[in-house]
């Protein structure tokens, strides 16, 4: 047992109880009871990682070491907690260290959580995957555990206010069959995307009717979320704006 991690889990469960969240979890048996695993998670909201650890906890009270952006670790409030939980900081300007840290955890028999999409999907459809999860699995020999969450975007997602009060949202978590680390990274990534796409459709079908026009419902299902193409364009515009601001700051510093 890890006192800090178990305390955080207890606090999270109390928060979920207060919020009235209704969890439906399937495929727990697909999470390794022992040994390593790359927990590959779809990314629809800011709190995905808190829910994605549930199957592992149900499977022998295991803990997941999540990869998260460095800024979360730099925060004076969340940083100490993230480090105490032994999560892995990701510096997007230089991801080599975080990759090596993740592989090291896997070789020691840990579960490592990663978002193959890298960023939140504004469309709530699966974005194109990065190959990091596949490369980690191939280098460490750990299976990939496709894990899909649906409904969590209602709580807190990009571009919309968070709803942490009592609302009773349903959140579904489905774990697909493990994918063995064989072949090359591109082929393995394609298999992972296919598996998670199928699981996402399965959870959406089981979720029931999706209210028309709701922000958290994909355009494909009649919601007001942007299409995948529109979301990709928005992401590209956002990245370009960030790069321009960064260039301005650097120019200002050099002139100063």
């Amino acid at each position: 047992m890890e006192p800090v991690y178990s305390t955080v889990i207890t606090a999270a469960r109390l928060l979920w109880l207060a919020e009235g969240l209704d969890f439906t979890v399937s495929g727990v048996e697909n999470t390794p009871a022992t040994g390593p695993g790359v927990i590959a998670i779809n990314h629809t909201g800011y709190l995905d990682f808190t829910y994605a650890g549930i199957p592992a906890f149900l499977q022998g009270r295991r803990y997941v070491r999540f990869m998260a952006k460095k800024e979360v670790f730099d925060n004076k409030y969340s940083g100490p907690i993230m480090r105490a939980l032994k999560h892995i900081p990701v510096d997007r300007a230089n991801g080599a260290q975080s990759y090596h840290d993740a592989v090291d955890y896997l070789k020691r028999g840990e579960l490592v959580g990663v978002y193959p999409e890298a960023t939140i999907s504004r469309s709530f459809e699966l974005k194109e995957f990065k190959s990091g999860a596949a490369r980690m699995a191939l280098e460490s020999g750990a299976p990939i555990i496709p894990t899909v969450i649906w409904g969590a975007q209602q709580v807190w997602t990009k571009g919309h206010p968070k709803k942490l009060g009592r609302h009773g949202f349903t959140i579904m978590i489905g774990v697909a069959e493990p994918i063995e680390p064989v072949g090359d990274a591109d082929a393995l990534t394609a298999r992972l995307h296919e598996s998670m796409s199928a699981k996402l459709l399965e959870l959406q079908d089981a979720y029931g009717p999706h209210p028309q026009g709701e922000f958290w419902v994909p355009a494909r299902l009649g919601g007001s979320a942007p299409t995948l193409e529109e979301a990709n364009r928005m992401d590209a515009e956002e990245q370009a704006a960030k790069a321009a601001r960064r260039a301005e700051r650097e120019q200002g510093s050099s002139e100063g």
Side-chain angles (χ1 to χ4, degrees):
M1 291 293 293
E2 297 182 26
V4 176
Y5 214 136
S6 59
T7 299
V8 169
I9 288 174
T10 299
R13 293 172 72 178
L14 290 173
L15 175 61
W16 298 336
L17 183 63
E19 291 174 324
L21 293 181
D22 179 21
F23 288 99
T24 299
V25 186
S26 59
V28 170
E29 70 279 2
N30 291 322
T31 301
T34 60
V38 179
I39 310 295
I41 314 150
N42 68 317
H43 206 1
T44 63
Y46 291 112
L47 298 178
D48 290 338
F49 75 99
T50 65
Y51 312 131
I54 292 175
F57 189 75
L58 294 176
Q59 182 71 301
R61 301 177 71 87
R62 298 201 67 187
Y63 301 133
V64 181
R65 312 303 176 182
F66 290 98
M67 301 184 75
K69 60 184 181 180
K70 179 177 176 291
E71 289 81 356
V72 179
F73 290 80
D74 292 338
N75 183 280
K76 65 179 180 180
Y77 300 110
S78 60
I81 297 173
M82 295 294 282
R83 285 187 287 273
L85 300 180
K86 302 178 185 177
H87 294 323
I88 305 167
V90 178
D91 184 349
R92 289 177 179 166
N94 180 18
Q97 185 59 54
S98 58
Y99 173 85
H100 290 307
D101 290 344
V103 170
D104 183 57
Y105 270 129
L106 291 166
K107 288 182 176 179
R108 285 188 276 154
E110 297 264 17
L111 299 174
V112 172
V114 60
Y115 298 117
E117 298 167 283
T119 59
I120 288 175
S121 172
R122 301 173 192 259
S123 70
F124 310 123
E125 306 281 12
L126 289 184
K127 294 161 59 74
E128 182 179 349
F129 282 6
K130 306 295 184 183
S131 64
R135 291 187 289 111
M136 281 182 236
L138 289 167
E139 185 169 341
S140 66
I144 302 178
I145 314 301
T147 303
V148 176
I149 301 170
W150 187 245
Q153 66 270 31
Q154 298 174 84
V155 181
W156 189 13
T157 192
K158 199 167 194 173
H160 297 278
K162 56 181 174 288
K163 298 178 181 179
L164 301 179
R166 189 169 184 84
H167 38 60
F169 296 142
T170 295
I171 295 178
M172 301 188 77
I173 306 167
V175 184
E177 291 185 3
I179 300 175
E180 293 304 316
V182 295
D184 60 39
D186 289 342
L188 193 54
T189 299
R191 288 176 59 200
L192 175 61
H193 196 284
E194 181 181 0
S195 173
M196 293 181 68
S197 294
K199 180 59 67 174
L200 178 60
L201 291 176
E202 178 187 315
L203 294 187
Q204 289 173 338
D205 286 345
Y207 202 85
H210 290 77
Q212 299 295 290
E214 286 288 332
F215 78 89
W216 61 273
V217 178
R220 173 176 53 82
L221 297 176
S224 60
T227 65
L228 183 58
E229 293 74 21
E230 291 169 340
N232 286 339
R233 186 180 66 248
M234 293 166 69
D235 289 342
E237 291 171 353
E238 182 180 70
Q239 290 303 314
K242 286 181 178 179
R245 290 194 296 269
R246 186 164 55 247
E248 289 177 3
R249 289 196 299 269
E250 292 173 352
Q251 182 177 1
S253 298
S254 63
E255 291 175 352

